[in-house]
Amino acid sequence: MEEILEKKLESGPLNFESYFSEKALKMKASEVRELLKLVETSDVISLAGGLPNPKTFPKDIIKGILEEIMEEHADKALQYGTTKGFTPLRLAIAEWLRKRYNIPTSKVDIMITSGSQQALDLIGRVFLNPGDLVVVEAPTYLAALQAFNFYEPQYIQVPLDDEGMRIDILEEKLRKLKAEGKRVKLVYTVPTFQNPAGVTMTEERRKHLLELASEYDFIIVEDDPYGELRYSGKPVPKIKALDTEGRVLYLGTFSKILAPGFRLGWIAGEPHFIRKLEIAKQSVDLCTNSFGQVVAWRYLEGGHLEKHIPRIIEFYKPRRNAMLEALEQYMPEGVKWTRPEGGMFIWVILPEKINATTMLEKAVKKGVAYVPGEAFFAYRDVKNTMRLNFTYVDEDKIQEGVKRLAETIKEEL
Amino acid sequence: MEEILEKKLESGPLNFESYFSEKALKMKASEVRELLKLVETSDVISLAGGLPNPKTFPKDIIKGILEEIMEEHADKALQYGTTKGFTPLRLAIAEWLRKRYNIPTSKVDIMITSGSQQALDLIGRVFLNPGDLVVVEAPTYLAALQAFNFYEPQYIQVPLDDEGMRIDILEEKLRKLKAEGKRVKLVYTVPTFQNPAGVTMTEERRKHLLELASEYDFIIVEDDPYGELRYSGKPVPKIKALDTEGRVLYLGTFSKILAPGFRLGWIAGEPHFIRKLEIAKQSVDLCTNSFGQVVAWRYLEGGHLEKHIPRIIEFYKPRRNAMLEALEQYMPEGVKWTRPEGGMFIWVILPEKINATTMLEKAVKKGVAYVPGEAFFAYRDVKNTMRLNFTYVDEDKIQEGVKRLAETIKEEL
């Protein structure tokens, strides 16, 4: 039976390429992804992952919830659900958004998605014509680019600094584009503990971004998977909490605050937008798995989420600290990195002459892996950066991994 | 909090339509769907549904599996999985396909999907350029049309009779198209206990279809959600079991043999095709929910599926019989219907002068609902048909529902 594990792609009677759509012919597997697959089975210390640590999964709580579900809610948990999602869960999320984030929900509708990734794909489907202008951070979340790419937008890159997206540069670009008769349709941002850079957009910039949205008439996609994972510093309001015109689509997920295995995210936004996204979702998967939705509902309703978040923070904070300390201790001069107040990632900027993509193989030989930064740029035009994850491996390995990485960099210099 | 339940679509500062993609502007909610939504909360007997009966869900087995998972497999069930799916589940499905259906799996790869609906969407994404020719049965599965529509194919309709798709008519059409220099890319079929018609394609026609696939060089999508639900007659080989060239993509699902709530389907097919479908899936949801995959794995591995299928059949068979008897008893002359050997649906053909779509409202007033057949035709060119479901309501209500329906039809005549 092992043959099923990794099928060889053999030639056969069919000319396979002749059946694919033009867009499918352009879809390529990422080489880095393939390399990193190999790493997973070796003794390389991988700082490349993006997985939450399974030790943060609230297993005892989930166990209790599962028993409760099979006693009291089995018919609903096991049946098809509506496309928009399980209503009690939607209500519980609305309450969470209102109480915890001050997001006024009277004019907000909520749709459950099969992870935030599906939300990104549906947004592409509903909003993007080929050639439409989409603003992304540079760097931005890789899988958002993958989701949007199918819809063939044109990307406008806006750089980040320690205070998040450079809204002044965005404004400059918007002005120029307008002068050319062009309109930006979407601005995609991970404003809080960004993936990959770890930085957080300041409140001031969030307000400025909303002003620009109104002035230049665009929609903001606020992707917020890590917002609850704050280890230091002060909370910043969600952009959605400051949104008076209904321009913000807020994406949340249970992957980092419950467990990724239920594959649950949500979109909160203006009801007209949610309505269209709902119709689009009907044709792609009918509904998100009901079972996970019922679990998440009991998790929220039972007050477990609120109690569990501090435990996740307690678990991740020393790991972030360990990585920042190791970087300080080992990295040669000329290497810079971000100092995230939360999330899962630190972004490393190497001297310009180093190509982090080609260096990866050497690093793996030295026993450490990372994600080269290139793929996080819409135009893949920056080669000297990398993303490090601090949530998956423990402190000792973080220390050792960063040490090996520093050695690789020193040799490369 | 009730406001979240059904948000009113109010006008606001935004011109909502101005943000949508051209394709999204064309997406419309089905009026029938909206009408049927209302029915669900009333005391109308609905023969319109497509849901399995929750009494067929193996709750005790699932309960045991959930306990086992939290003891032994929690980390995997709660974590992200690979895009292609949880390997032990893929292995278990391969074994099922081989042992139960004689599908040779040595040259077949398997990918888990978020329900068969996602498989249909991914197939559209990977295979269809705008204008590509896709053959569908007339009538065909409504949600397959919805999935494919986004990719803008051109449909070729081929009628059904009691022996499934009219392959002779298909051959005729293929010949003509070829003469015009046109090529069919995909043939989509639900060959066994078809949705909506309930009919099954004979073995002879299946073989003929495969010959045509080879001669005219197209791919067959064999959608098989109901194959295990046989109440009478003899099994027919899967088209995939007869496929020597790798032309068949076989779609399976756990929705009717375990429970829909885990949202799990799979595609079995030629590894090159699966590879491309896998890359496409990365950008739409990263992976299918791991938790459900681990449940399904234990369900298959533990031998539960094999034991549970006869119980589902025992439950549905009297319902099918009850509906066939009621149709015989109440329907006026001139009304015809199919006599399915399995599945969930019976297809009713009314005298041509009756429009089943406009009649629905009258039927609902009489206390019965059905799905008008129109939407099951790619060109919506047939108005005098309807789909009846016999799995969801019990025998008494089936009897009463068909009686009410017959009265409505008599009044209409």
Side-chain angles (χ1 to χ4, degrees):
Chain A
M1 287 309 294
E2 294 310 300
E3 70 218 22
I4 199 79
L5 288 170
E6 277 306 323
K7 285 281 179 190
K8 289 210 182 83
L9 296 180
E10 295 166 354
S11 58
L14 305 185
N15 174 10
F16 302 105
E17 304 267 303
S18 73
Y19 305 100
F20 294 135
S21 65
E22 279 169 37
K23 287 189 180 184
L25 287 171
K26 287 184 210 155
M27 295 174 191
K28 300 277 177 228
S30 141
E31 281 167 30
V32 167
R33 196 175 182 130
E34 300 303 305
L35 177 60
L36 293 176
K37 255 188 199 172
L38 299 177
V39 165
E40 275 164 38
T41 51
S42 70
D43 59 354
V44 169
I45 296 173
S46 179
L47 307 176
L51 302 184
N53 196 301
K55 287 175 190 152
T56 65
F57 301 156
K59 286 175 209 165
D60 287 342
I61 298 170
I62 292 171
K63 206 173 154 183
I65 288 175
L66 294 177
E67 283 164 19
E68 188 199 334
I69 288 176
M70 292 313 291
E71 290 301 320
E72 295 175 37
H73 313 290
D75 279 3
K76 281 187 175 153
L78 297 173
Q79 188 58 282
Y80 285 105
T82 58
T83 303
K84 212 191 255 182
F86 184 55
T87 304
L89 175 61
R90 291 170 54 233
L91 288 168
I93 291 169
E95 188 157 325
W96 178 262
L97 295 181
R98 190 161 50 193
K99 285 199 178 160
R100 195 155 173 113
Y101 305 149
N102 280 312
I103 292 176
T105 51
S106 66
K107 290 190 176 173
V108 163
D109 201 354
I110 290 169
M111 180 169 83
I112 308 298
T113 56
S114 302
S116 279
Q117 186 68 28
Q118 186 185 49
L120 295 169
D121 176 56
L122 292 174
I123 287 169
R125 190 172 268 247
V126 161
F127 291 99
L128 299 182
N129 287 317
D132 273 356
L133 301 186
V134 173
V135 168
V136 292
E137 291 156 336
T140 186
Y141 174 51
L142 166 61
L145 294 174
Q146 288 173 337
F148 295 154
N149 281 347
F150 185 78
Y151 305 98
E152 303 181 330
Q154 193 184 329
Y155 294 110
I156 311 287
Q157 296 197 116
V158 175
L160 294 170
D161 64 16
D162 286 342
E163 300 189 342
M165 192 195 281
R166 287 282 304 271
I167 305 297
D168 55 330
I169 295 179
L170 171 64
E171 185 166 17
E172 186 68 24
K173 296 200 178 209
L174 288 167
R175 199 178 299 141
K176 279 188 189 159
L177 288 164
K178 197 178 179 179
E180 297 168 25
K182 290 179 186 165
R183 170 195 171 198
V184 163
K185 198 179 251 184
L186 285 185
V187 171
Y188 171 75
T189 175
V190 185
T192 310
F193 317 136
Q194 205 240 16
N195 180 357
V199 298
T200 296
M201 196 190 292
T202 59
E203 183 170 349
E204 201 189 330
R205 288 198 187 171
R206 290 173 192 230
K207 288 178 177 164
H208 192 182
L209 176 60
L210 280 163
E211 286 163 17
L212 294 177
S214 187
E215 187 179 344
Y216 291 92
D217 193 20
F218 56 79
I219 302 297
I220 299 167
V221 178
E222 179 180 23
D223 191 1
D224 189 33
Y226 317 106
E228 288 292 347
L229 308 181
R230 176 173 283 281
Y231 319 128
S232 56
K234 277 185 191 160
V236 184
K238 307 293 178 197
I239 304 175
K240 184 69 196 162
L242 308 168
D243 172 30
T244 55
E245 296 185 331
R247 293 188 176 276
V248 179
L249 291 165
Y250 176 85
L251 309 190
T253 174
F254 285 99
S255 293
K256 279 83 192 181
I257 52 178
L258 170 56
F262 298 111
R263 210 73 206 95
L264 288 177
W266 70 84
I267 315 181
E270 217 290 327
H272 289 81
F273 292 149
I274 298 295
R275 180 76 185 117
K276 195 62 92 174
L277 290 161
E278 180 191 359
I279 297 171
K281 181 171 161 70
Q282 284 172 8
S283 74
V284 302
D285 71 355
L286 298 179
C287 64
T288 292
N289 80 93
S290 308
F291 196 87
Q293 292 189 66
V294 176
V295 172
W297 165 52
R298 298 315 306 155
Y299 185 62
L300 271 174
E301 276 282 295
H304 300 297
L305 174 55
E306 213 160 345
K307 284 180 210 149
H308 188 63
I309 287 171
R311 290 182 211 135
I312 306 176
I313 291 172
E314 196 181 336
F315 186 87
Y316 287 151
K317 186 177 174 175
R319 284 170 168 73
R320 178 205 59 171
N321 294 346
M323 185 169 275
L324 286 173
E325 283 160 23
L327 287 163
E328 201 67 60
Q329 189 177 349
Y330 298 113
M331 281 296 158
E333 215 166 318
V335 177
K336 292 173 192 165
W337 57 90
T338 57
R339 280 149 188 90
E341 296 186 331
M344 297 172 59
F345 306 107
I346 291 175
W347 183 245
V348 177
I349 302 160
L350 305 169
E352 285 212 4
K353 66 177 174 183
I354 295 185
N355 181 324
T357 306
T358 54
M359 191 180 72
L360 178 58
E361 214 173 317
K362 291 171 203 166
V364 167
K365 276 184 195 147
K366 280 220 181 285
V368 64
Y370 57 85
V371 184
E374 189 180 342
F376 297 98
F377 293 89
Y379 291 111
R380 303 181 77 96
D381 51 351
V382 177
K383 311 284 181 191
N384 62 323
T385 58
M386 58 174 70
R387 189 191 76 178
L388 303 182
N389 167 272
F390 55 77
T391 60
Y392 198 72
V393 302
D394 63 26
E395 286 105 310
D396 287 354
K397 286 200 169 170
I398 287 174
Q399 159 104 5
E400 177 60 25
V402 171
K403 192 177 158 192
R404 291 177 188 175
L405 183 58
E407 284 163 15
T408 315
I409 294 168
K410 280 176 198 160
E411 287 181 17
E412 198 77 357
L413 278 169
Chain B
M1 285 311 294
E2 294 310 300
E3 70 219 20
I4 199 79
L5 289 171
E6 278 306 323
K7 284 282 179 188
K8 291 214 180 79
L9 297 179
E10 293 167 355
S11 58
L14 305 185
N15 174 10
F16 303 105
E17 304 267 304
S18 73
Y19 305 99
F20 294 136
S21 65
E22 280 169 36
K23 287 189 179 183
L25 288 170
K26 287 183 210 155
M27 295 174 192
K28 300 278 176 227
S30 139
E31 280 167 30
V32 168
R33 195 177 183 130
E34 299 303 305
L35 177 59
L36 293 176
K37 255 188 200 172
L38 299 177
V39 166
E40 276 163 38
T41 52
S42 70
D43 59 353
V44 169
I45 295 174
S46 178
L47 307 176
L51 302 184
N53 196 302
K55 288 176 190 152
T56 66
F57 301 156
K59 286 176 209 164
D60 287 341
I61 298 169
I62 292 170
K63 206 172 156 185
I65 288 175
L66 293 176
E67 282 164 20
E68 187 199 334
I69 287 176
M70 292 312 291
E71 290 301 320
E72 295 175 38
H73 313 289
D75 279 2
K76 281 187 175 154
L78 298 173
Q79 186 60 281
Y80 285 105
T82 58
T83 303
K84 212 192 255 181
F86 184 56
T87 304
L89 175 61
R90 291 171 53 233
L91 288 168
I93 291 170
E95 188 157 326
W96 179 263
L97 295 181
R98 190 160 52 192
K99 285 199 178 160
R100 194 151 175 117
Y101 305 150
N102 280 313
I103 292 177
T105 51
S106 66
K107 289 190 176 174
V108 164
D109 201 353
I110 291 169
M111 180 168 84
I112 308 299
T113 57
S114 302
S116 278
Q117 187 67 30
Q118 187 186 47
L120 295 169
D121 176 56
L122 292 175
I123 286 169
R125 192 172 266 246
V126 161
F127 291 99
L128 299 181
N129 287 318
D132 274 356
L133 302 187
V134 173
V135 169
V136 292
E137 290 156 337
T140 187
Y141 175 51
L142 166 60
L145 294 174
Q146 288 172 336
F148 295 154
N149 281 348
F150 185 78
Y151 304 98
E152 303 180 328
Q154 194 185 330
Y155 294 109
I156 311 287
Q157 295 197 118
V158 175
L160 293 171
D161 64 17
D162 286 342
E163 301 189 343
M165 193 195 282
R166 289 281 304 272
I167 304 297
D168 56 329
I169 295 179
L170 171 63
E171 186 167 17
E172 187 67 24
K173 295 201 179 211
L174 288 167
R175 199 178 298 141
K176 279 188 190 159
L177 288 165
K178 198 177 179 179
E180 296 168 26
K182 289 179 186 165
R183 170 194 171 198
V184 164
K185 197 180 251 185
L186 283 185
V187 171
Y188 171 76
T189 175
V190 185
T192 310
F193 318 137
Q194 206 239 16
N195 181 359
V199 298
T200 296
M201 195 190 292
T202 59
E203 183 170 348
E204 200 189 331
R205 289 197 187 171
R206 290 174 193 230
K207 287 178 177 165
H208 191 182
L209 176 60
L210 280 163
E211 285 162 18
L212 294 177
S214 187
E215 188 179 344
Y216 291 93
D217 194 20
F218 57 78
I219 302 298
I220 298 167
V221 178
E222 179 180 24
D223 191 0
D224 189 33
Y226 317 106
E228 288 292 349
L229 308 181
R230 176 175 282 281
Y231 318 128
S232 56
K234 277 184 191 162
V236 183
K238 307 293 178 196
I239 304 174
K240 185 69 195 160
L242 307 168
D243 172 31
T244 54
E245 295 185 331
R247 293 190 176 275
V248 179
L249 290 165
Y250 176 86
L251 309 190
T253 174
F254 285 99
S255 292
K256 280 83 192 180
I257 52 176
L258 169 58
F262 298 112
R263 210 71 205 94
L264 288 177
W266 71 84
I267 316 181
E270 217 289 329
H272 289 81
F273 291 149
I274 298 295
R275 180 75 184 118
K276 195 61 93 173
L277 290 160
E278 180 191 0
I279 296 171
K281 182 171 160 70
Q282 284 171 8
S283 74
V284 302
D285 71 354
L286 298 179
C287 62
T288 292
N289 79 93
S290 308
F291 196 87
Q293 292 189 66
V294 176
V295 172
W297 165 53
R298 298 315 306 154
Y299 185 61
L300 271 174
E301 276 280 296
H304 301 297
L305 175 54
E306 213 161 344
K307 285 180 209 149
H308 188 63
I309 287 170
R311 289 182 211 135
I312 306 176
I313 290 172
E314 195 182 336
F315 186 88
Y316 286 150
K317 187 176 174 175
R319 284 169 170 73
R320 178 204 60 170
N321 294 345
M323 185 170 276
L324 286 174
E325 283 159 23
L327 286 163
E328 201 67 58
Q329 188 177 350
Y330 298 113
M331 280 296 159
E333 213 166 320
V335 177
K336 294 173 191 165
W337 57 91
T338 56
R339 280 150 187 90
E341 296 187 332
M344 297 171 58
F345 305 107
I346 291 176
W347 182 246
V348 178
I349 302 160
L350 304 170
E352 285 212 5
K353 66 177 175 183
I354 295 184
N355 181 323
T357 307
T358 54
M359 192 180 72
L360 178 59
E361 215 174 315
K362 292 172 202 164
V364 168
K365 275 184 197 146
K366 279 220 181 284
V368 63
Y370 58 84
V371 184
E374 191 180 343
F376 296 98
F377 293 89
Y379 290 112
R380 304 181 77 96
D381 50 352
V382 177
K383 310 286 182 189
N384 62 323
T385 59
M386 58 174 72
R387 189 190 77 177
L388 303 182
N389 167 271
F390 55 77
T391 59
Y392 199 72
V393 302
D394 63 27
E395 286 104 311
D396 288 353
K397 286 198 168 169
I398 286 174
Q399 159 103 2
E400 178 60 26
V402 171
K403 191 177 159 193
R404 291 178 188 175
L405 184 58
E407 284 163 15
T408 314
I409 294 168
K410 282 174 198 161
E411 285 181 18
E412 197 78 357
L413 278 169

